[in-house]
Amino acid sequence: MSTLPPDDGENQPPTPPPPPPAGPPPASSPPPSAPTPPPAPSGYGQPPGGYGYQSGPRTNGLAIASLVLGIAQIFLCIIGAILALVFGYISRRQIDESGGTQGGRGMAIAGIILGWIGIGLGIAYIVVIVIAVIVSDDSNSRSALIQHALSG
């Protein structure tokens, strides 16, 4: 017994399926005029903002300058300390008024502290020189002491 259909001598292609019935689309599909939503992000994409970079408040430039001048006062003497104080107080005020858009308050405070330390050391240095000049009783040693203090 054969399972093949009887051969009538003509090879005809199979008939195509009938077209879908015309009518309203099913309720589960969106209407054709509605925009399609964007595709869902994949789990393997790049993190927002770039790899390993998190954006936050920008550091105030005057706070950085205050800290640098506070450290560099060793070489700039009392001028560096005064500038560290001025920049520190200005930057701290700007940071406080920025509403969180600027950072660097710690650097500004560190610059202020280093500035006051520099002012204190500068005043102490001047006082020591004045006392040394007063205590010195020889005029030649006084001028040598003043020249030595001013050169160092």
Side-chain angles (χ1 to χ4, degrees):
M1 182 153 213
S2 171
T3 58
L4 295 172
D7 190 15
D8 57 358
E10 295 180 22
N11 288 334
Q12 295 178 353
T15 59
S28 63
S29 66
S33 63
T36 58
S42 76
Y44 299 104
Q46 185 177 10
Y51 181 73
Y53 177 76
Q54 296 177 352
S55 63
R58 294 190 54 194
T59 304
N60 188 301
L62 289 177
I64 296 171
S66 174
L67 181 62
V68 168
L69 286 169
I71 294 170
Q73 73 182 340
I74 298 168
F75 306 108
L76 300 174
C77 299
I78 203 160
I79 294 172
I82 292 170
L83 290 175
L85 283 172
V86 170
F87 290 165
Y89 282 116
I90 291 172
S91 65
R92 191 178 67 174
R93 182 179 44 85
Q94 288 176 352
I95 292 167
D96 290 343
E97 292 176 354
S98 72
T101 59
Q102 291 184 357
R105 193 170 200 283
M107 284 190 271
I109 292 172
I112 291 169
I113 291 170
L114 289 172
W116 279 116
I117 290 172
I119 294 286
L121 290 175
I123 290 172
Y125 180 73
I126 292 170
V127 167
V128 166
I129 296 300
V130 168
I131 291 173
V133 168
I134 292 172
V135 170
S136 171
D137 52 346
D138 185 13
S139 65
N140 286 337
S141 63
R142 241 186 236 165
S143 63
L145 182 63
I146 292 172
Q147 287 177 355
H148 178 69
L150 294 177
S151 67

